[in-house]
């Protein structure tokens, strides 16, 4: 069914995902690969509307299960309408966050449990999973320190505003998940320089998917 590769990026606050995705875009462009870069929650008009409901600092304080259902409503729209069609055309799809975020933020940090989230995943998306997940791992304090500067005027801060203990549960959750699924999840040490993190990402993708992506120089 799935002709193209599905790659996801995960990481806690301030892990540098945005910068790394920009570099990754250049690398795929340089390799001439037909790619779709996208993100969750979002990626379709409806999913972007759900995104606003979930992430704005002044958003409703959702019940935990309702929050998970909203993430999955957005995900189902996004996967069915954009991601699967792109994969079927043989495109490589690179997605900023996916189901692991639900397993960790809602399953672990909110406490709904992995089985609960996985059951919902199976009901809505079957066994659809990424070929490779890059987890940008950064210490909670270092990560929150990096996000400080950009808070002024930021609107989508409902999760960043969670207590420190929440972010610690997120990191512990990813650590445990990466240990359980090492064949899918590549841990990238995001404490390093931007250039080194980028090089590690490229090597992980080349090794795991048999690609030949170039390491880009920072613009
Ligand atoms: P975003 O502004 O995209 O932040 P980041 O740069 O950290 O990716 O916000 C996404 C937030 O939503 C992030 O804090 C994690 C959270 N989230 C969940 O709790 N569950 C999910 O399933 C997804 C996709 C995201």
């Amino acid at each position: 069914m799935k002709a193209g590769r599905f790659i996801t990026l995960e990481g806690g606050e301030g892990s540098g995902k945005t910068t790394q995705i920009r570099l990754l875009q250049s690398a795929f462009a340089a390799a001439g690969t037909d790619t779709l870069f996208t993100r969750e929650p979002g990626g379709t008009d409806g999913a972007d509307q759900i995104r606003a409901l979930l992430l704005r600092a002044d958003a409703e304080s959702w019940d935990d299960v309702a929050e998970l259902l909203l993430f999955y409503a957005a995900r189902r729209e996004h996967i069915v309408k954009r991601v699967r069609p792109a994969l079927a055309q043989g495109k490589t799809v690179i997605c900023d966050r996916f189901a692991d975020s639900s397993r960790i933020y809602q399953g672990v940090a909110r406490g709904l449990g992995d089985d609960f989230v996985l059951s919902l995943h199976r009901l809505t998306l079957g066994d659809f999973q990424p070929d490779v997940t890059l987890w940008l791992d950064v210490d909670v304090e270092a990560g929150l320190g990096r996000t400080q500067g950009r808070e002024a005027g930021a609107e989508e801060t409902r999760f960043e505003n969670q207590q420190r203990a929440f972010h610690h549960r997120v990191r512990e959750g990813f650590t445990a998940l990466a240990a359980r699924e090492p064949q899918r999840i590549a841990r990238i040490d995001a404490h390093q320089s931007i250039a080194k993190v980028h090089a590690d990402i490229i090597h992980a993708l080349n090794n795991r998917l048999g690609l030949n992506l170039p390491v880009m120089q920072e613009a």
Side-chain angles (χ1 to χ4, degrees):
M1 274 257 321
K2 192 165 81 170
R5 261 55 180 275
F6 183 43
I7 299 164
T8 60
L9 276 101
E10 300 281 355
E13 308 309 315
S15 58
K17 253 183 323 108
T18 309
T19 306
Q20 292 302 331
I21 286 170
R22 194 171 38 77
L23 288 165
L24 209 46
Q25 263 169 328
S26 319
F28 275 100
T33 313
D34 199 3
T35 48
L36 168 68
F37 278 80
T38 183
R39 69 168 179 185
E40 290 203 348
T44 68
D45 289 347
D48 280 328
Q49 288 178 40
I50 296 175
R51 179 183 178 91
L53 294 176
L54 284 162
L55 299 189
R56 289 181 58 99
D58 59 357
E60 176 90 19
S61 160
W62 295 103
D63 163 76
D64 292 347
V65 174
E67 179 180 276
L68 176 69
L69 293 172
L70 284 170
F71 275 114
Y72 263 90
R75 178 161 301 132
R76 167 90 195 173
E77 281 287 301
H78 180 224
I79 297 304
V80 169
K81 292 185 178 167
R82 288 203 67 203
V83 175
R84 274 195 183 138
L87 291 171
Q89 289 168 15
K91 285 189 186 171
T92 298
V93 177
I94 296 159
C95 191
D96 181 355
R97 294 195 184 279
F98 179 61
D100 293 328
S101 281
S102 294
R103 292 177 73 179
I104 301 305
Y105 283 79
Q106 281 68 50
V108 177
R110 296 274 196 235
L112 291 178
D114 202 34
D115 287 347
F116 191 92
V117 181
L118 284 179
S119 304
L120 183 60
H121 186 94
R122 258 180 242 114
L123 283 170
T124 53
L125 292 173
D127 61 1
F128 185 80
Q129 286 291 347
D131 295 295
V132 174
T133 297
L134 301 160
W135 167 43
L136 274 55
D137 181 30
V138 69
D139 169 77
V140 172
E141 298 306 323
L144 289 176
R146 286 181 188 171
T147 63
Q148 298 278 284
R150 53 175 124 111
E151 291 310 283
E155 290 185 338
E156 293 184 335
T157 54
R158 198 167 71 85
F159 281 89
E160 279 151 46
N161 295 342
Q162 296 289 325
Q163 306 290 330
R164 276 188 154 58
F166 181 89
H167 297 293
H168 281 283
R169 290 198 292 280
V170 167
R171 186 169 188 221
E172 283 156 21
F174 272 123
T175 305
L177 185 59
R180 284 208 302 281
E181 300 191 27
Q183 68 294 353
R184 174 173 67 86
I185 303 176
R187 175 187 175 271
I188 306 290
D189 181 354
H191 302 92
Q192 311 174 96
S193 68
I194 291 173
K196 181 68 170 71
V197 172
H198 170 64
D200 284 1
I201 286 175
I202 295 295
H203 291 141
L205 290 178
N206 285 347
N207 288 337
R208 284 168 183 252
L209 296 174
L211 303 177
N212 207 3
L213 297 167
V215 173
M216 305 307 289
Q217 302 303 316
E218 255 185 277

